[in-house]
Amino acid sequence: MQRTARAASTPEPEPLPVPAAAHDPFPVGSPEPLPATEVAVLLDGVPRQRGPVALSIPLPLPRTTRPALRLRPWRLLPSPTGTPATFAYTVILALTSLFASYASPGLLHSVYQDSSTDVAHLLRTPVFVLLASALWIAGGLLSPYALAFVLVLTALERRIGGARAILVFLTGHVLATLATEVPVGLAVLVGHLPDTSLHRLDYGISFGVAASIGALSGLLAPWLRWPLLALVGYSLLTDLVAFEDPMTNWGHLISLGIGMGLWPAVRRWYRERGPAADTVTA
């Protein structure tokens, strides 16, 4: 009886939890199952025994470097597709230079006289002689101005376009011609110069080339602009000091200044056209 009472008063032990079945991945009371995508990410870190293992190795990011400078010296010369205006003008100058090389002296002098921008012709046919005088190279194809014309006008056309490059050239040619010939006419009028000064031969491309150099320098970087202007200015001043042809030498300096005065215009035209990839600019 005592044993029965003691047994009755003793609490029965709680049953042990039954283990979950082996095939049940989510037993009762376990947290919410992970999404399939997160499970796949976690399983990537578990070594696999079967099948090939795909390793994902991050590639290094490419370094940002400047493009290599490509030297293209042929772009210094005019071409029918790249610089058609300079190319056509160069062909015309080459033909007139060949004519000057093989024509008789009498015929050549007559042609030069008819194309001269002296005071007498400027009063009679100003437009004709201003254009015709720019078709000849004083000194021929071996003149330094011939090489300067090809290099400078090609570079200028590549930056601002053919029509505007020719406009810069003609602006220097016309204004410098008028700036040198008008004082000659006034000096003859007041008696300081003889009447023969009215028929002084004046032709060539040198005024236009000097103006183009002055305009192009405004599109170059300072380390190239100022040495170029110093070199050209020194050369022109040396010719002026020599006093062999003061009117022409003054015209060269005036046309160089005219080109420099066109810096605002040529820089605006350059921005409108867009900078070339292979040019040195300010």
Side-chain angles (χ1 to χ4, degrees), residues 2 26 37 56 64 95 117 122-123 135 158 173 194 207 230 265 282:
Q2 293 178 356
F26 305 108
T37 56
S56 118
T64 304
L95 293 176
T117 52
L122 284 175
L123 292 175
L135 301 179
R158 290 192 184 279
H173 174 73
F207 289 173

Side-chain angles (χ1 to χ4, degrees), residues 14-260:
E14 295 182 359
L16 295 174
V18 180
H23 65 276
D24 187 4
F26 305 108
V28 179
S30 63
E32 292 294 330
L34 296 174
T37 56
E38 297 186 12
V39 172
V41 173
L42 293 176
L43 291 179
D44 285 341
V46 180
R48 300 182 182 180
Q49 302 297 329
R50 298 177 183 178
V53 179
L55 298 178
S56 118
I57 301 176
L59 297 176
L61 296 177
R63 295 181 179 180
T64 304
T65 57
R66 295 182 178 181
L69 179 63
R70 294 179 297 174
L71 297 177
R72 292 179 287 182
W74 60 87
R75 289 179 62 86
L76 298 176
L77 301 177
S79 64
T81 55
T83 54
T86 304
F87 183 82
Y89 202 165
T90 303
V91 170
I92 294 174
L93 291 175
L95 293 176
T96 57
S97 298
L98 289 175
F99 172 82
S101 300
Y102 293 100
S104 62
L107 176 61
L108 187 60
H109 179 78
S110 176
V111 173
Y112 282 163
Q113 189 67 54
D114 293 338
S115 304
S116 176
T117 52
D118 52 52
V119 177
H121 284 89
L122 284 175
L123 292 175
R124 293 197 300 265
T125 56
V127 177
F128 173 78
V129 293
L130 284 171
L131 295 178
S133 63
L135 301 179
W136 306 95
I137 303 177
L141 291 176
L142 299 180
S143 170
Y145 285 101
L147 179 60
F149 170 86
V150 172
L151 297 179
V152 172
L153 211 66
T154 297
L156 195 60
E157 181 174 357
R158 290 192 184 279
R159 287 161 173 81
I160 65 175
R164 290 168 174 173
I166 297 298
L167 178 61
V168 170
F169 179 91
L170 291 178
T171 299
H173 174 73
V174 171
L175 294 183
T177 298
L178 296 177
T180 53
E181 292 296 338
V182 169
V184 172
L186 295 177
V188 172
L189 185 63
V190 297
H192 290 300
L193 289 176
D195 292 344
T196 55
S197 299
L198 299 177
H199 304 280
R200 186 180 67 94
L201 282 179
D202 188 7
Y203 63 91
I205 61 172
S206 58
F207 289 173
V209 171
S212 300
I213 293 174
L216 177 63
S217 64
L219 300 178
L220 302 177
W223 64 267
L224 185 57
R225 175 191 310 147
W226 301 116
L228 175 63
L229 289 176
L231 178 62
V232 174
Y234 174 79
S235 176
L236 297 182
L237 286 174
T238 302
D239 293 340
L240 182 62
V241 171
F243 210 73
E244 295 178 356
D245 190 356
M247 295 303 299
T248 300
N249 296 331
W250 274 114
H252 291 157
L253 287 172
I254 293 172
S255 56
L256 181 65
I258 291 172
M260 296 175 64

